[in-house]
């Protein structure tokens, strides 16, 4: 059997294996989201962990029996599980992103009418979660949306795009695996490889110095970081040139092993930042008293 035949058969097997993955396993809606929640749990205060456990007891009151909600890890993927029930939850689907073309100025309040974007919903759901006067099931729903959206906003292509639906319209090979798209790769296989290949486990208790370096900021800051990462790394790494110079980018590309290896530390950092910042937002929400009013321009 020749090398070309072996390679072609391998390509077919890889593509088939990827296609058979369940929908949630193909995105931050599964592995990376759950990892961010695990990082957060390792870094929250004990009082916050206890508060989360109390709220989780209200899961049956949400009336979504097909979507598990027994842990913070479950909460981190719960909003994606709602996609199978459009008539009840379709109004939430626009909350998962807020993209800005990478060749335009970043404006965090643009395209967010009526709080229908991820930046506004992070703030909204943290405030609902922090309101101890609300029923437990209302606060639990807010908890799930909060932790999920903090994960989403840290994935670069949920904030930056090139008029290609955040890379969804860019046919992209992942190494020897064809038939994927750029968004899907950053959501799924790249994130999974980044998490599992880390020299030090991403899920651990971080030092105060590490938390200070990785945490902080507002949802608008996190969205800007993701948008800048898309502009300065994701697109140049995928196309070997800056996205805003010269001719339009083609509608297909391929990530070599070198491209993938360069992307791994970027993905690791975004997953870790999401977990650390999630812990900060949860600690603030479960602290006694109301949240301070956010600063407005």
């Amino acid at each position: 059997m020749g090398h070309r035949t072996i390679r072609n058969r391998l390509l077919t097997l890889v593509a088939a294996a990827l296609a058979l993955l369940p929908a949630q396993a193909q995105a931050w809606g599964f592995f990376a989201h759950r990892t961010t929640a695990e990082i957060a749990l390792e870094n929250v205060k004990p009082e916050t962990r206890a508060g989360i456990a109390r709220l989780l007891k209200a899961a049956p009151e949400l009336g979504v029996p097909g979507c598990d909600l027994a842990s913070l890890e479950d909460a981190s993927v719960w909003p994606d599980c709602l996609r199978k029930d459009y008539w009840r939850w379709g109004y939430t689907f626009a909350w998962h992103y807020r993209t800005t073309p990478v060749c335009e100025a970043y404006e965090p309040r643009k395209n967010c009418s009526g709080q229908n974007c991820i930046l506004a919903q992070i703030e909204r759901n943290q405030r609902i979660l922090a309101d101890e006067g609300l029923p437990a099931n209302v606060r639990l729903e807010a908890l799930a949306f909060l932790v999920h959206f903090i994960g989403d906003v840290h994935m670069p292509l949920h904030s930056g795009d090139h008029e290609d639906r955040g890379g969804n319209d860019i046919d992209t090979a992942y190494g020897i695996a064809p038939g994927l798209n750029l968004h899907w790769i950053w959501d799924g296989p790249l994130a999974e490889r980044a998490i599992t290949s880390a020299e030090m486990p991403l899920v651990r208790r971080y030092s105060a110095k590490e938390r200070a370096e990785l945490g902080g900021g507002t949802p608008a800051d996190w969205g800007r970081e993701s948008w800048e990462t898309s502009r300065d790394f994701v697109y140049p790494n995928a196309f070997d040139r800056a996205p805003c110079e010269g001719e339009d980018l083609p509608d297909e590309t391929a990530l070599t092993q070198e491209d993938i290896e360069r992307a791994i530390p970027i993905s690791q950092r975004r997953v870790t930042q999401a977990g650390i910042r999630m812990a900060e937002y949860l600690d603030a929400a479960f602290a006694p008293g109301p949240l301070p009013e956010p600063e407005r321009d």
Side-chain angles (χ1 to χ4, degrees):
M1 184 181 296
H3 291 297
R4 179 172 296 180
T5 301
I6 294 174
R7 179 178 181 275
N8 288 341
R9 290 188 176 182
L10 183 59
L11 284 170
T12 301
L13 288 172
V14 171
L18 290 169
L20 289 172
L21 286 172
Q24 282 189 328
Q26 295 179 2
W28 268 52
F30 181 74
F31 195 73
H33 270 302
R34 295 183 75 91
T35 300
T36 63
E38 291 173 359
I39 294 170
L41 276 177
E42 289 292 324
N43 291 277
V44 294
K45 297 176 180 178
E47 309 90 87
T48 300
R49 185 186 287 263
I52 292 168
R54 287 194 297 271
L55 286 186
L56 288 168
K57 295 177 182 178
E61 299 174 34
L62 294 178
V64 191
C67 298
D68 293 338
L69 192 51
S71 66
L72 192 67
E73 294 92 326
D74 288 345
S76 72
V77 300
W78 187 82
D80 274 346
C81 184
L82 303 179
R83 292 178 182 272
K84 62 188 178 184
D85 190 353
Y86 174 84
W87 294 112
R88 181 177 176 189
W89 297 104
Y91 70 96
T92 71
F93 297 169
W95 296 353
H96 293 246
Y97 60 91
R98 199 212 64 86
T99 55
T100 296
V102 294
C103 299
E104 298 179 7
Y106 179 77
E107 298 180 37
R109 297 192 183 186
K110 187 177 181 180
N111 300 327
C112 196
S113 176
Q115 296 185 319
N116 282 306
C117 77
I118 192 168
L119 304 182
Q121 287 300 322
I122 291 174
E123 293 183 351
R124 171 180 173 269
N125 283 287
Q126 188 198 28
R127 302 194 78 81
I128 293 172
L129 174 61
D131 189 344
E132 296 179 358
L134 294 174
N137 62 304
V138 174
R139 296 177 67 206
L140 177 58
E141 181 181 309
L143 170 69
F145 280 123
L146 174 65
V147 296
H148 182 84
F149 295 152
I150 289 176
D152 272 349
V153 79
H154 282 81
M155 203 288 269
L157 291 169
H158 279 260
S159 292
D161 82 342
H162 199 264
E163 299 186 2
D164 52 18
R165 297 190 305 127
N168 275 293
D169 295 335
I170 304 296
D171 293 335
T172 309
Y174 180 71
I176 64 170
L180 311 181
N181 68 64
L182 190 60
H183 189 110
W184 193 99
I185 287 169
W186 273 84
D187 261 349
L190 176 59
E192 293 188 19
R193 181 169 172 183
I195 293 165
T196 58
S197 66
E199 291 186 8
M200 291 186 64
L202 298 189
V203 179
R204 58 184 171 85
R205 179 74 180 179
Y206 286 78
S207 69
K209 181 179 179 180
E210 289 173 317
R211 294 198 300 272
E213 192 273 327
L214 293 164
T218 67
D221 297 327
W222 310 339
R224 182 185 297 276
E225 291 170 354
S226 286
W227 172 78
E228 289 174 344
T229 300
S230 295
R231 181 195 64 191
D232 299 339
F233 181 83
V234 175
Y235 285 100
N237 189 57
F239 293 97
D240 297 320
R241 69 176 178 87
C244 305
E245 299 176 3
E247 299 178 356
D248 290 341
L249 296 177
D251 56 8
E252 61 180 343
T253 189
L255 297 185
T256 65
Q257 285 301 317
E258 292 76 13
D259 295 331
I260 295 166
E261 289 171 7
R262 282 193 295 268
I264 285 174
I266 305 293
S267 182
Q268 288 172 341
R269 182 175 178 83
R270 294 309 280 166
V271 170
T272 306
Q273 287 179 311
I276 295 298
R277 289 161 169 174
M278 188 185 298
E280 293 173 347
Y281 263 53
L282 290 172
D283 279 343
F286 282 98
L291 286 173
E293 287 297 320
E295 294 183 5
R296 299 297 183 191
D297 294 337

